[in-house]
Amino acid sequence: MKKATIRFLKQKNNWILNLKLKMMKANYKTGILTIILVFNTIAALPQDFPEWPVPNNEAAVENPVEATKESVAAGKALFNTQCKACHGETGKGDGLIKSASLVSEIFTAQTDGAIYWKLVTGRGQMPPFAAQPEEQLWNVINYIRLLSMNPEDMVMKNAIISIIFDEDSEKKEVTAKVEEFTEDGTKAPVSNVKVNFGVKRYFGVLPISSTSTFTDAAGEVSVSFPDDIIGNETGELVVIAALEDMEYNPVEASAEISWGLDNPNDYWTERRALWKDNDYVPIWLLFSFIGGALAVWGTIGYVALLVFKIKRIGDKVS
Amino acid sequence: MSGSTEKKKTAQSGGFEKISEDLIRPLYHNTFGNQVYIRVLIFFVIVGVIAYGHQLLDGLGLTAMRDYSSWGIYIASFVFWVAVSLIGSLISAILKLLSQNWSTPLSRISELIALGAIAMAAASIVIDMGRPDRVLNIALHGRIQSPIVWDFLVVNTYLVISAILLYLPLIPDIAIMRDKMTGIPKWQKKTYEMLALGWQGTQEQWKLLKRAIWIMIILILPVAFSIHTVTSWLFATNSRTGWHSTIFGPYFVSGAFVAGAAAVVIAMYVFRKRHKLQDYITDKQFDMMGKLMVLTMLIYLYFNINEYLVPGYRWGRLDGAHIHELFLGHEAPLFWTTQILGLILPIFLLMFKGMRKPGPSLVIACFVLLGAWVKRVLIVIPTQFHPQFPIQNVPESFLHYIPTWTEILITLGTVAGALLIITLLVRIFPVIPIWEVAHEKGYHKIFKAEK
Amino acid sequence: MKKNKENKSETRRSFLKSSALLGAGAIAGSAVLSSCSTDAEPGGEKVKLLTASGELVEVDPSQIKKVRKEKMSELSERGREGLVGHHWTMVIDLSKCKNARKCMTACQGAHDLLPYQHHINVLQMQDSKSTAPYYMPKPCFHCDNPPCTKVCPVNATFKRKDGIVLIDNERCIGCRFCVAACPYSARMFQWFEPEYTEEEKNRLYDVELNVPQKKGTITKCLFSADRLRKGQLPYCVSACPNGVYWFGDKMEDSVTNGTSKETRKFSDLIKENAGYTYFEDLGTKPQVYYLPPKNRTFEYEPVDKIMKDDHAGEESSHTNAKH
């Protein structure tokens, strides 16, 4: 732990950070930490957050959206952008900010309506999401329900996914095919599973599909490829198709295709500029600077010559 | 020359003897006062060097400069020294070209001040650098697009030109001292002999010397204008209130002549008194210098009005805050004291002949010179507290700039350094150009080769 | 805080990993290397090496080839060249910033900065009396017409081919002209000897990371150039819990959100949210875009704008650094 950071935390005089500091110091004494953990689990409240009562009429509202794969997929997409940061990827409340667990017994004991009311009302660090469309909020609730079902107990199946490019049709299409191996070793199509299509970028994957890309009976699903995505200098880019389903282990395929726009790669120019280095000095400046220096120092040199001549005459005369 | 040849000879030899005696006599005589003075200067220089050593070890954090006021009195002093050094070009060059013969006795004083000042300007910049051990990087990796590289070139060039313009008219004087002075230490005699370049005053030598001086006088003009204009561009090329002005060049150059003239008046008084030069630095010189000061200060006042009235009229977000701070706010006491005591009142007073006498001139010149330094502090520092984005999440001490002892002692060290350079040079060279004064008074046959 | 530790131990782990890999690589390539090995005779005393998987193995010294260490000049060269073909940009969503300041602490931790030194500073802004106040994270804007690189006398600060403006602390002379020139107050100076650990002191200077900091030189936001080279998002972008930062490459027109890791087209994001830059009329062409603070779901709560600690700067940091 840096001296500067410790001093900084002390300076801040913030009770949260002081607590963190104490916790970090306590790391060296893992025995104490274990005891603290044990006490926590034994202690009365499994959640550190004060109770949040919901009005009865709100809690009684029923979830109008069926928990289909589409709904859960849409809910997951929204969860990942709005909720994952604080509540963590698995909803345990272990994200970048300590938050309530969405998978604890106390939380899941609530009705969907109660959760919906909390979503639109917000409290403290939890913002109100009233601006989101209602259907989306119910989708998120469906996804949260899914999270609390222990995925570790499920046995995941394996599938394979492949990418097919359709270059013949007018519109460019990308098709993904999902198959799994049956007991007798043959491949069978997997239907009604979600495939996410994207283009590989430097830091992540740019999605090019919506939330409703589920495989059909033949295990295939297609999206039309947008015509405004930039590739490399020759327009090549990498398309990724990723299987995302509760029952299957995640698997993805990637393939290169030159359906992108050519990357102009024209950011760096060889133009001369005042902010660049000596190799790019503007010509007018180069000539003024060197010309001026040569003119002045040349004159000084000439004067030095005159002085030498004076000395020569002086030596001759004396 | 009037009169018979006989009369001419005696008049010439008698007259010239008196001149050379008067001007060389001070070089023999080192008063106790002068010795104490030199020791005091050396003391301040040493204290400055020790403070600088401390600053080298611990970092520039020993000053009051911080991330928002990252240029302080070192840079203000640098600008001040560059300003004062311009006087060399004004008196040695401009007035000479305009045939202002009253200024002839003052040309050496002004070159000495110019040399001392430009040397301390270079010192001030190195003192302000975070990594002075890498100062050669400017020459090795210099970027031609940077105003600092331009400043590096012109300041060094001006230093060389000032030294040459001090030395060239000095050659005949050194020859006079070589020939006439007796009872001086061997090293001094040897130095004179070496520096005199075997000057005998032949026609050819005079021709060469006059040509050399003429060329340097013309050359120094664009270079002198360049140093202070380029120095002003260190500020004007930045998008900051108070600095992003198109007239910063002329503003600084006109201010430079004011500061330099005041410095010369002070030097005139001191040397006149100490070396008993009343016959050479007469009331006429003070009168004319007083008028020159009024002229330069009027031009400077004109630029001041432009610099403040225009942004004051517009009252932009930051410009308005800056003008308010100077005129009515935190810096108002300092601002008004400087402007009134250092500019407006001197203009008014020096318009009266009685004020252009030596005594009053000295007092007024002291105020003007001190005011010039404070004015440059007011140009450099308040601007930095009005950046485009608000100053936040820093300690309270970052919001103020009050120079620390380290800075003060080092700055005093540079002042002492400039004075020391001048004082030591005046110990071995006459402060008034002997041959020029002699030529003025009509005595042209001074050297062996001329007789 | 957690992110810092992860990044730090990540760096150390990868350092150890690479050095162990070198040992393992030497063993693996022994068949090729033995022909150009050292003078040692086969069958001499064996040397113990640690492989990447943590195994301790014994190797004949004749089969070990010394791998050349990276030189600082090479780091400097590649740092000055940059990741050609990219044009890095950042988008900051002001409607999400809640003044959590995790970005500031992550950055200060990664670059060994003191609490009052900010490569990225979260300001409390209010453009005029009747407009709503908002929090504004302010990194260096890595301008396309940078006033700072224009004035540097020794080419210590420079804009490289991928748009990032870096500082070479081995070249900087500390004149602070760039500090005066920057209209966004993005740069700061090391007034005292900075703090660093023993390990950092002996580390090879990398112009893309600038650790350890050097007394008497300038420091500022580097868009975490060291992380970009490894394909990772900058420290601040990754540390934000509220989804404020998007970072990416204008050349491929995509930015990725540091919190949710969502990737979007840069042009879409700017168009949909009316993105803008600051003080465009100064002609600096800043490359950090802001999305207006619209539809905020939280209350703006002002906090102290000036730190209470008055003695920062005179503190014993400069005397403690003699390790």
Side-chain angles (χ1 to χ4, degrees), chain A residues 71-94 99-103 107 119 129 132 136-137 139-145 147, chain C residues 259-260 262:
Chain A
S71 165
V72 168
K76 179 174 181 181
L78 187 62
F79 181 88
N80 279 344
T81 58
Q82 300 289 351
C83 324
K84 185 173 78 171
C86 299
H87 291 282
E89 184 145 8
T90 48
K92 292 209 190 99
D94 55 352
S99 51
S101 168
L102 308 176
V103 298
F107 185 86
L119 274 175
F129 285 100
Q132 296 282 350
Q136 277 288 72
L137 293 176
N139 287 337
V140 168
I141 294 173
N142 286 336
Y143 175 66
I144 293 175
R145 291 292 181 203
L147 279 180
Chain C
T259 315
S260 63
E262 188 191 344

Side-chain angles (χ1 to χ4, degrees), chain B residues 168-184:
Chain B
L168 287 179
L170 199 51
I171 295 175
D173 280 1
I174 297 177
I176 293 172
M177 292 189 297
R178 171 198 64 190
D179 295 337
K180 289 197 183 298
M181 281 181 86
T182 53
I184 49 174

Side-chain angles (χ1 to χ4, degrees), chain A residues 273-278 280-281 285-286 289 293 296-297 299-300 302-303 306-307 309-311 313-314 317, chain B residues 142-145 149-150 153 157 160-161 164 168 197-200 202 204-205 208-209 211-212 215-216 219:
Chain A
L274 281 178
W275 57 264
K276 287 184 178 171
D277 63 25
N278 275 342
Y280 299 91
V281 179
L285 181 58
L286 185 67
F289 185 79
V296 172
W297 281 91
T299 311
I300 292 176
Y302 175 63
V303 167
L306 294 178
V307 171
K309 281 196 180 156
I310 293 176
K311 181 162 185 2
I313 295 173
V317 170
Chain B
R143 270 182 74 249
I144 299 180
Q145 294 100 321
V149 171
W150 309 341
L153 176 70
T157 306
V160 169
I161 293 181
I164 293 177
L168 287 179
L197 299 183
W199 178 264
Q200 298 301 335
T202 68
E204 253 226 87
Q205 281 183 324
L208 289 168
L209 186 70
R211 188 193 306 172
I215 291 175
M216 290 311 280
L219 187 66

Side-chain angles (χ1 to χ4, degrees), chain C residues 235-252:
Chain C
Y235 297 102
C236 52
V237 173
S238 314
C240 176
N242 295 313
V244 174
Y245 296 98
W246 298 78
F247 192 88
D249 182 358
K250 260 185 175 177
M251 281 283 105
E252 61 174 21

Side-chain angles (χ1 to χ4, degrees), chain A residues 7 81 201-202 228 267 275, chain C residues 144 149 195 228 252 265:
Chain A
R7 205 179 319 115
T81 58
R201 307 277 77 176
Y202 195 85
D228 59 355
Y267 174 54
W275 57 264
Chain C
D144 271 4
T149 65
E195 293 215 345
L228 300 183
E252 61 174 21
K265 281 180 76 179

